[in-house]
Amino acid sequence: MAKPLTSVIGIDIGRYALKSVLMQKKGANRYVVTNFATHIVDDTAEQTSSELGRNIKALLKHMGGSAKACAVAVSHPDAILRLIEQPETPTHILRDALKLNSTMLLNQDCKSYVLDCELIPSTVPIDPTNTRQKQYLVAGIPRTHVVEIGTAFYEGGAPPVASLQLAPVAVFNAFEFANEEIFNNNAFFLLDIGHNGATILLGAKRELVLIRNVEFGGRALIDTLCNLSGEDQPTVLRALEQEDEVMVENARMALMGLAREIGSSIGFFEGRREEPIRQVWVSGGFAKSKTVLRVLSEELRMPCMAWNATERCEINVPSSKRNQFSEEALDMSVACGAATEALQA
Amino acid sequence: MALHINLYHEIQRARKEEQYDPLKISLLCIGFVGLCLAGLYFGKLSQTMGVRDQYTAQKAEISTLEPQAAAAKLKEAELTASIQLADKLSKRIEDRFYWAPVMEQIGLTIPANVQITKLTGDISVTDASRRIGIALDGIAAGEQPRKVAEDIRLALIDNLGEKYKNVTATFRSLDDSTEQVRFEGKEMPTALFSINITFSATAVPLAPRTVQR
């Protein structure tokens, strides 16, 4: 049995930026964030392993500090994230079954994918007539991408990779870590707004009920706002920050599609479970924008709140970076989720 | 409990398998055993070489010492012969027979009326001991000259018996003589006698003396 990690670097490999947090476990329930960094990447250029290695090297250099391992969370357009129902099976056997018989289990040929699965703890039986049926979360990304990431970390001189996670699962884990009481006792709706797309996660009392990817991210919102206003990106962002009426209306129009998707997801959830969704927990780059949160709240007619994944952690970052961290903490949920999962393993 | 998904498991397992590859481990073990055996071989080889070198050195030393040893052997034989000769000589000297005390005893034993005309002595060596033989011829004068001769014989046995072992004295001849001799103003008849005295050359050990204070 491997020795449990006491310090780990959580890294979020996004399309627009690489984010990292250095988290240490000081006791049974005491976590400290000592370093963090964000490194913007050129999203127009193709991400080769050497390019990614260079970016990781720059990110770790900017962050400072060191740890025994890295926990990586990645989002990929071809990533698979499914909930499947199976008779109770040990996960290592199911993993092999998925690898050998993915066409049957996932209705998709996944020979070129690396797959992993995990039993989802369920409070409500899926099929009341068959209590042996369990729900499993299956995640996968193309093997070439896994190899690229491994090579990039090796070339970037980073500590060894302890785990490779999908960004939505990392967000789910981060929410469990940050808001344990809500996670354990209530239904919750998580919205992670990324650069290219948003992820919707619906859960209730520890159980992951629904995962959806929506093709609407920060880039689409900015592009729409720029097109509607005819202004450039900095002007649009400044106007949005100043709650310019025209820009707010433009944002409302831009976010309409996303709000509709959220509404339909909530409807789906509430139709299946007798638990209401009372608020939406927003993370990602645009969780920092109060205007976006207000517009979404108005559109959904329920509060949309940003949540901070490092809420339970002691913040021990250098004093010069403390203000920057409080601004960027809302965007660190994926990196924090990856790190906490590795520390809790 | 967080959802533990690890998409890096294939690479981790491949690395672990590579790390704990049975072929690699067995090759390492074989290599280690081979190294041990090679070490043992070279150790034994150096040991053998050392013994061989020692043997060669000793052989060379022997080849240089051998003529010296032969010469020493010859010298030893020579010296042994010399020592034996010296021993013989010293033994001979040490075992020589002293005639003077015998002559002294005989001189003391012979009275004035007896005249020794001939005295010969020789030593006969047998395996066990040496015997001294003395032939004594003389003329005894007295009223009874034969008795005088007999007294001399007995006196010789007594006197010599004090010093020597196995003393015998026998007459070879004892004849009356026609000649008359004057002794102390008187004419006395004489008798011719020949006595053979034999005794062992070994002297009788002297009785321990008592010291008087």
Side-chain angles (χ1 to χ4, degrees):
Chain A
M1 185 129 178
K3 204 177 167 186
L5 293 168
T6 52
S7 65
V8 74
I9 300 171
I11 298 178
D12 172 16
I13 301 176
R15 291 290 297 172
Y16 172 70
L18 301 184
K19 288 155 224 150
S20 67
V21 283
L22 174 51
M23 201 178 272
Q24 291 180 350
K25 192 177 180 181
K26 297 270 179 171
N29 209 17
R30 195 172 151 231
Y31 297 85
V32 184
V33 174
T34 55
N35 296 75
F36 78 100
T38 304
H39 180 74
I40 309 294
V41 295
D42 182 10
D43 62 335
T44 53
E46 197 186 345
Q47 282 274 39
T48 59
S49 61
S50 53
E51 180 66 30
L52 183 59
R54 269 196 297 277
N55 287 330
I56 288 165
K57 197 171 187 176
L59 175 79
L60 295 178
K61 193 179 174 187
H62 182 215
M63 184 182 75
S66 65
K68 286 176 183 169
C70 287
V72 184
V74 64
S75 51
H76 193 270
D78 295 330
I80 294 171
L81 201 53
R82 302 265 177 87
L83 291 168
I84 61 164
E85 287 170 16
Q86 278 290 308
E88 192 166 0
T89 316
T91 46
H92 67 280
I93 293 173
L94 186 59
R95 187 194 281 172
D96 290 341
L98 285 166
K99 189 180 175 184
L100 298 167
N101 205 6
S102 60
T103 320
M104 186 99 166
L105 292 164
L106 299 172
N107 297 319
Q108 186 180 342
D109 185 16
C110 298
K111 278 182 183 152
S112 59
Y113 276 70
V114 179
L115 297 167
D116 197 13
C117 57
E118 175 78 344
L119 176 71
I120 294 178
S122 177
T123 49
V124 181
I126 302 154
D127 183 1
T129 55
N130 187 359
T131 51
R132 290 183 66 197
Q133 206 75 353
K134 300 280 180 189
Q135 205 167 30
Y136 289 88
L137 174 70
V138 178
I141 47 174
R143 186 168 286 108
T144 49
H145 193 55
V146 175
V147 174
E148 270 177 16
I149 289 169
T151 314
F153 271 79
Y154 180 74
E155 286 177 359
V161 177
S163 70
L164 179 61
Q165 180 66 278
L166 283 181
V169 185
V171 171
F172 188 76
N173 287 335
F175 187 76
E176 181 191 0
F177 175 72
N179 298 302
E180 205 171 358
E181 202 178 320
I182 296 167
F183 185 85
N184 288 337
N185 305 313
N186 298 92
F188 50 89
F189 190 107
L190 305 179
L191 174 65
D192 183 46
I193 304 170
H195 186 60
N196 286 334
T199 307
I200 291 169
L201 292 150
L202 266 155
K205 294 174 184 167
R206 309 189 59 80
E207 184 184 345
L208 178 62
V209 179
L210 179 72
I211 309 166
R212 282 189 68 199
N213 277 323
V214 181
E215 294 286 326
F216 181 84
R219 190 169 67 178
L221 176 63
I222 297 285
D223 287 350
T224 311
L225 291 176
C226 289
N227 288 338
L228 290 171
S229 63
E231 301 287 344
D232 58 349
Q233 188 178 327
T235 316
V236 165
L237 288 173
R238 201 166 41 248
L240 203 61
E241 199 63 33
Q242 289 165 355
E243 298 192 8
D244 179 76
E245 271 183 35
V246 178
M247 201 53 72
V248 170
E249 284 310 309
N250 287 346
R252 197 182 302 280
M253 281 179 72
L255 290 167
M256 204 174 282
L258 179 64
R260 195 167 49 247
E261 293 292 341
I262 293 169
S264 63
S265 298
I266 292 171
F268 171 81
F269 176 80
E270 287 178 343
R272 289 187 65 177
R273 311 281 288 243
E274 291 175 358
E275 289 172 87
I277 298 289
R278 297 187 195 284
Q279 66 182 45
V280 175
W281 299 93
V282 185
S283 61
F286 270 99
K288 289 179 270 186
S289 169
K290 284 176 185 163
T291 312
V292 171
L293 292 177
R294 184 165 67 85
V295 169
L296 274 175
S297 299
E298 285 167 6
E299 286 297 306
L300 294 167
R301 294 190 187 84
M302 67 169 70
C304 291
M305 289 171 70
W307 61 282
N308 182 359
T310 60
E311 214 165 70
R312 242 183 77 190
C313 299
E314 292 172 27
I315 309 301
N316 197 14
V317 296
S319 52
S320 58
K321 290 168 92 178
R322 203 169 281 269
N323 290 337
Q324 191 194 346
F325 183 75
S326 57
E327 280 172 22
E328 291 188 12
L330 298 176
D331 202 11
M332 291 285 177
S333 55
V334 176
C336 281
T340 53
E341 184 203 334
L343 288 174
Q344 286 173 339
Chain B
M1 194 69 187
L3 290 173
H4 293 291
I5 297 277
N6 183 12
L7 298 169
Y8 207 63
H9 64 87
E10 278 189 6
I11 289 178
Q12 284 171 337
R13 191 166 57 191
R15 278 188 190 157
K16 207 166 192 177
E17 276 172 7
E18 195 183 335
Q19 199 178 355
Y20 297 105
D21 181 19
L23 181 67
K24 193 176 157 188
I25 290 169
S26 33
L27 280 174
L28 278 171
C29 288
I30 289 167
F32 178 71
V33 170
L35 271 175
C36 287
L37 288 174
L40 188 71
Y41 170 75
F42 283 112
K44 289 283 177 194
L45 188 70
S46 65
Q47 212 175 347
T48 312
M49 293 285 275
V51 169
R52 198 171 284 172
D53 286 350
Q54 206 177 349
Y55 169 72
T56 314
Q58 284 182 351
K59 207 172 174 182
E61 199 179 345
I62 283 169
S63 62
T64 54
L65 288 175
E66 221 162 30
Q68 289 178 18
K73 217 165 193 174
L74 282 174
K75 185 93 177 169
E76 186 197 3
E78 276 174 26
L79 288 172
T80 310
S82 303
I83 288 163
Q84 279 174 354
L85 186 64
D87 282 349
K88 271 182 189 174
L89 286 172
S90 59
K91 201 174 177 187
R92 211 163 185 177
I93 289 162
E94 279 164 11
D95 292 350
R96 73 184 183 277
F97 186 74
Y98 292 94
W99 287 103
V102 178
M103 293 299 126
E104 189 186 5
Q105 286 292 326
I106 291 169
L108 289 171
T109 309
I110 302 299
N113 55 341
V114 176
Q115 189 177 4
I116 302 297
T117 57
K118 188 181 172 188
L119 191 140
T120 58
D122 70 328
I123 300 168
S124 63
V125 180
T126 60
D127 288 341
S129 62
R130 292 181 301 166
R131 280 198 76 78
I132 309 297
I134 299 168
L136 185 73
D137 294 354
I139 301 168
E143 296 292 330
Q144 295 176 325
R146 292 179 75 98
K147 190 177 176 298
V148 171
E150 178 62 16
D151 289 343
I152 288 165
R153 188 183 71 82
L154 293 172
L156 282 170
I157 289 170
D158 287 345
N159 290 343
L160 288 172
E162 287 176 2
K163 276 196 167 181
Y164 302 101
K165 288 179 180 176
N166 307 324
V167 180
T168 58
T170 53
F171 284 112
R172 197 170 67 234
S173 64
L174 178 61
D175 301 317
D176 291 328
S177 174
T178 54
E179 284 182 36
Q180 293 280 319
V181 292
R182 184 179 289 274
F183 181 68
E184 292 178 348
K186 289 179 185 175
E187 286 287 330
M188 289 181 187
T190 59
L192 294 172
F193 65 87
S194 292
I195 298 169
N196 279 346
I197 306 163
T198 60
F199 56 86
S200 293
T202 321
V204 172
L206 291 171
R209 287 182 184 175
T210 52
V211 180
Q212 288 184 345
R213 288 173 185 265

